[in-house]
């Protein structure tokens, strides 16, 4: 389409990490009618391009990623204060936070201040935890693949992404890849590309932490401090 017909097309420069992903995994944002008091689950990745995914879970077991929040050259504190809290207070005022997971490296305090990204989120009322799995890539990828290839009790895929999440969708479709090795006769690298352009790897990592955290906590119980969480965020 691109090389022969001269049309614009998405070009994949390697092997996509999630070939299981398809149009059935995209939920039209305009068709998503959700009750106000929904449970929310967060996935985070840190660094100077921090990101947050906001998702909910249906009674049938379908995880729907509703929003992506991205930052460029900012701290996690700025992401929370200037980007996450306004979205929560505008679109999810009656919702409750049931779980949050992120890069375990976020447990480490920085050299400049005695506070870690996990500390910042906890102080902001977001009950983040280590998703488990020792931060190994295999379990993280498998957690996403299991949801992509499974159906909930209503016959929907167990993972859907709102059409509102344009960067995450682009990453899953064609940007998050195992890059082709030059001169390798079509061989690809054994780890996905680490690209912060378009928040590709950041968002895909956040999705992995979200799915892995939920898989390790499949019978996740509401937290005793749920009310205080919403009191701080609203």
């Amino acid at each position: 389409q691109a090389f022969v017909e001269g049309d614009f097309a998405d070009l994949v420069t390697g092997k996509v990490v999630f070939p299981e992903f398809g149009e059935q995994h995209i939920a039209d944002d305009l068709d998503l009618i959700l009750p106000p008091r929904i449970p929310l689950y967060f996935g985070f990745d840190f660094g100077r391009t921090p990101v947050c995914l906001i998702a909910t879970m249906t009674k049938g077991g379908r995880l729907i990623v509703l929003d992506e929040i991205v930052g460029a050259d900012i701290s996690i504190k700025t992401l929370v204060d200037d980007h996450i809290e306004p979205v929560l207070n505008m679109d999810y005022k009656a919702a409750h936070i049931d779980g949050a997971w992120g890069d375990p490296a976020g447990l480490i305090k920085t050299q400049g201040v005695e506070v870690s990204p996990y500390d910042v989120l906890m102080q902001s009322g977001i009950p983040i935890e280590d998703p488990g799995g020792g931060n190994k890539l295999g379990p993280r990828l498998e957690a996403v693949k299991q949801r992509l290839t499974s159906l909930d009790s209503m016959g929907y895929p167990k993972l859907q992404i709102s059409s509102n999440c344009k960067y995450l969708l682009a990453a899953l479709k064609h940007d998050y890849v195992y890059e082709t090795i030059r001169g390798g006769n079509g061989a690809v690298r054994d780890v996905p590309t680490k690209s912060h352009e378009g928040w590709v790897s950041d968002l895909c990592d956040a999705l992995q932490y979200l799915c892995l955290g939920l898989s390790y906590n499949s019978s996740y119980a509401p937290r005793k401090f749920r009310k205080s969480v919403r009191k701080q965020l609203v």
Side-chain angles (χ1 to χ4, degrees):
Q1 182 182 349
F3 295 124
V4 178
E5 299 180 6
D7 292 339
F8 288 102
D10 295 324
L11 300 180
V12 177
T13 57
K15 177 184 176 182
V16 292
V17 177
F18 297 113
E20 303 88 352
F21 181 81
E23 292 299 316
Q24 71 273 22
H25 297 107
I26 302 175
D28 193 330
D29 185 53
L30 298 176
D31 294 335
L32 284 176
I33 302 175
L34 301 169
R37 297 189 62 81
I38 58 173
L40 295 180
Y41 302 92
F42 292 173
F44 284 93
D45 195 42
F46 306 115
R48 293 303 295 181
T49 52
V51 300
C52 171
L53 295 178
I54 300 177
T56 191
M57 182 85 75
T58 68
K59 291 182 178 179
R62 178 172 37 139
L63 178 66
I64 307 174
V65 179
L66 302 169
D67 272 300
E68 58 183 11
I69 301 174
V70 299
D73 196 25
I74 61 173
S75 68
I76 188 64
K77 182 74 165 68
T78 302
L79 187 77
V80 172
D81 293 346
D82 295 352
H83 302 280
I84 297 177
E85 286 193 16
V87 171
L88 291 176
N89 293 332
M90 180 178 295
D91 298 332
Y92 305 104
K93 207 160 192 175
H96 49 81
I97 302 172
D98 268 8
W101 299 274
D103 184 351
L107 287 162
I108 302 171
K109 294 177 173 57
T110 65
Q111 292 181 353
V113 291
E114 281 297 312
V115 64
S116 70
Y118 271 47
D119 293 332
V120 171
L121 292 172
M122 291 292 288
Q123 292 166 8
S124 299
I126 298 175
I128 189 167
E129 293 181 309
D130 184 333
N135 205 20
K136 294 180 179 178
L137 181 62
R140 287 160 43 191
L141 297 179
E142 185 60 28
V144 177
K145 289 175 179 287
Q146 283 185 358
R147 286 199 164 272
L148 289 173
T149 56
S150 303
L151 301 179
D152 71 359
S153 62
M154 300 296 291
Y156 291 101
K158 280 192 173 182
L159 174 61
Q160 286 193 317
I161 315 294
S162 167
S163 57
N164 183 46
C165 303
K166 60 179 182 178
Y167 291 113
L168 178 58
L169 288 175
L172 293 173
K173 286 179 180 178
H174 47 74
D175 292 335
Y176 191 55
V177 298
Y178 298 106
E179 289 184 335
T180 303
I181 301 174
R182 287 187 179 182
N185 295 322
V188 296
R189 302 188 184 279
D190 55 3
V191 294
T193 181
K194 197 72 175 175
S195 171
H196 300 295
E197 184 177 348
W199 297 274
V200 171
S201 56
D202 308 288
L203 287 168
C204 287
D205 284 348
L207 180 64
Q208 293 163 33
Y209 295 129
L210 172 63
C211 291
L212 184 62
L214 283 169
S215 69
Y216 270 77
N217 299 272
S218 56
S219 58
Y220 211 75
R223 300 177 169 279
K224 62 182 179 181
F225 50 83
R226 174 189 291 172
K227 290 184 180 179
S228 65
V229 166
R230 290 307 304 151
K231 197 174 296 182
Q232 290 179 50
L233 287 173
V234 172

